[in-house]
Amino acid sequence: MSFLEVKNLHKSFGGTQVLKGIDFSLQKGDVVSVIGSSGSGKTTLLRCLNFLELADMGSVCVHGEEIFNATKKYADRDLRENRLHFGLVFQGFNLFPQYTALKNVRLPLDIQTGERLKNARKARKSGKDPAGAAEKEKISVLRKIRAWLAENKACAEERKRAFADNALKAEKLLRDVGLGEKMNNYPCELSGGQCQRVAIARALALEPEILCFDEPTSALDPELTGEVLRVIRSLKSPDRAMIIVTHEMQFAAEISDRIIFMADGVIEEAGTPQQIFREPKSEKLKAFLRNYAENR
Ligand SMILES: Nc1ncnc2c1ncn2[C@@H]1O[C@H](COP(=O)(O)OP(=O)(O)O)[C@@H](O)[C@H]1O
Ligand SMILES: [Mg+2]
């Protein structure tokens, strides 16, 4: 069984068919690079996998569990939950300019913590929680007040602890991408390469099993691409899969287990780096590689 299985994904915008039946699968630990000309549907594919767009047809399974099927309706909460399997690093970083690097990285963690604490409070109030149910049975008003105060104190302490843990985790992630000295800087005070590394740390915060990159170096000056590619290389791990949309062919050849070449909304050819770069079969892939070689 594959770890990620994408079946027959279709997506149209208005009358334009952008994805015309995408099928692929990967195993945990795999690195798959997606190459192809501009407009071939690479970004749309990543956005559909991260549920930023909903595919019109097709399904996505992780660990054999169907997390998306276009024939079904999903509540926002379910999409948010299912999205946690994936992390996405955007082409243009998408950092919040009003927050420091640290706050940008801890934000998803803090939102998740806030939701978890809110749900726990709701469960206690509705009496689903055994402790809450027991509280309801107490008769003495004084005991009720005491219990309420103790619970409030415990909640406040848990809250403080959880948010402090988030800060520690975000600090570690930033140190891991080499930005230990820049935690309190705002995006406008960072270079493009540093911003992209903050964005990578942020995408890692919720520990996605499948990390997607959408042309992570294309918005960078050439001298800054190396530092970002180094960080991406360091993330290759048996614990996660990576899908990297890139125009850095040398990098794709080095890091990838498999390459997918997209053209006009379909996977025109897929194979090992050796098969794709040294023994291309499709005429479209041959033309794409020729064009790349001529323009670099
Ligand atoms: N939100 C959208 N609305 C309308 N058309 C879109 C939208 N997103 C993408 N497209 C169109 O889909 C096609 C593929 O885009 P995209 O997935 O960004 O390709 P790539 O990343 O390979 O360059 C393009 O023609 C683009 O204009
Ligand atoms: Mg794109």
Side-chain angles (χ1 to χ4, degrees), residues 13-14 16 18 36-45 53 214-215 245:
F13 294 107
T16 315
V18 175
S37 309
S38 183
S40 55
K42 305 178 300 294
T43 295
T44 305
L45 172 61
E53 302 284 354
D214 191 4
E215 297 193 32
V245 170

Side-chain angles (χ1 to χ4, degrees), residues 69-85:
N69 188 319
T71 60
K72 297 181 184 161
K73 282 245 172 294
Y74 292 89
D76 284 348
R77 191 155 44 98
D78 296 331
L79 288 176
R80 272 206 305 277
E81 184 79 27
N82 291 343
R83 184 180 291 140
L84 290 175
H85 291 287

Side-chain angles (χ1 to χ4, degrees), residues 98-118:
Q98 71 273 36
Y99 295 146
T100 61
L102 183 65
K103 176 97 187 213
N104 265 286
V105 177
R106 62 177 289 186
L107 198 63
L109 292 165
D110 286 349
I111 290 172
Q112 196 183 48
T113 299
E115 239 174 62
R116 179 173 60 78
L117 294 175
K118 195 172 86 188

Side-chain angles (χ1 to χ4, degrees), residues 103-150:
K103 176 97 187 213
N104 265 286
V105 177
R106 62 177 289 186
L107 198 63
L109 292 165
D110 286 349
I111 290 172
Q112 196 183 48
T113 299
E115 239 174 62
R116 179 173 60 78
L117 294 175
K118 195 172 86 188
N119 289 341
R121 201 166 52 236
K122 256 196 212 156
R124 268 195 304 273
K125 271 194 181 156
S126 69
K128 275 185 210 143
D129 172 284
E135 291 306 327
K136 279 191 178 162
E137 283 165 22
K138 285 181 186 156
I139 7 152
S140 137
V141 174
L142 197 61
R143 277 174 71 186
K144 267 191 183 172
I145 291 172
R146 263 200 219 119
W148 182 78
L149 285 173

Side-chain angles (χ1 to χ4, degrees), residues 10-189:
H10 284 69
K11 178 71 186 172
S12 295
F13 294 107
T16 315
Q17 250 198 307
V18 175
L19 300 181
K20 302 172 186 168
I22 300 287
D23 292 90
F24 70 93
S25 59
L26 51 79
Q27 299 296 349
K28 223 169 193 180
D30 279 356
V31 176
V32 173
S33 288
V34 182
I35 61 172
S37 309
S38 183
S40 55
K42 305 178 300 294
T43 295
T44 305
L45 172 61
L46 291 190
R47 290 178 64 82
C48 285
L49 290 179
N50 285 270
F51 308 125
L52 298 175
E53 302 284 354
L54 293 187
D56 306 321
M57 202 193 287
S59 63
V60 178
C61 292
V62 176
H63 292 299
E65 181 201 344
E66 190 174 76
I67 60 163
F68 177 80
N69 188 319
T71 60
K72 297 181 184 161
K73 282 245 172 294
Y74 292 89
D76 284 348
R77 191 155 44 98
D78 296 331
L79 288 176
R80 272 206 305 277
E81 184 79 27
N82 291 343
R83 184 180 291 140
L84 290 175
H85 291 287
F86 297 89
L88 176 58
V89 176
F90 297 88
Q91 198 167 359
F93 328 137
N94 286 17
L95 296 178
F96 290 102
Q98 71 273 36
Y99 295 146
T100 61
L102 183 65
K103 176 97 187 213
N104 265 286
V105 177
R106 62 177 289 186
L107 198 63
L109 292 165
D110 286 349
I111 290 172
Q112 196 183 48
T113 299
E115 239 174 62
R116 179 173 60 78
L117 294 175
K118 195 172 86 188
N119 289 341
R121 201 166 52 236
K122 256 196 212 156
R124 268 195 304 273
K125 271 194 181 156
S126 69
K128 275 185 210 143
D129 172 284
E135 291 306 327
K136 279 191 178 162
E137 283 165 22
K138 285 181 186 156
I139 7 152
S140 137
V141 174
L142 197 61
R143 277 174 71 186
K144 267 191 183 172
I145 291 172
R146 263 200 219 119
W148 182 78
L149 285 173
E151 190 186 307
N152 262 9
K153 193 168 169 224
C155 283
E157 275 164 11
E158 189 191 348
R159 210 181 149 74
K160 206 168 140 190
R161 222 177 13 250
F163 284 108
D165 285 350
N166 290 350
L168 288 178
K169 187 170 181 186
E171 284 171 18
K172 177 171 184 328
L173 286 164
L174 281 167
R175 277 197 301 275
D176 288 349
V177 296
L179 291 175
E181 307 296 312
K182 300 286 179 187
M183 298 197 192
N184 296 316
N185 288 83
Y186 289 85
C188 65
E189 299 168 332

Side-chain angles (χ1 to χ4, degrees), residues 166-223:
N166 290 350
L168 288 178
K169 187 170 181 186
E171 284 171 18
K172 177 171 184 328
L173 286 164
L174 281 167
R175 277 197 301 275
D176 288 349
V177 296
L179 291 175
E181 307 296 312
K182 300 286 179 187
M183 298 197 192
N184 296 316
N185 288 83
Y186 289 85
C188 65
E189 299 168 332
L190 301 173
S191 72
Q194 289 168 337
C195 282
Q196 193 55 301
R197 284 188 278 150
V198 174
I200 293 172
R202 178 179 61 181
L204 288 167
L206 296 178
E207 300 175 21
E209 296 164 299
I210 303 150
L211 189 54
C212 306
F213 295 87
D214 191 4
E215 297 193 32
T217 57
S218 67
L220 302 179
D221 293 334
E223 69 271 20

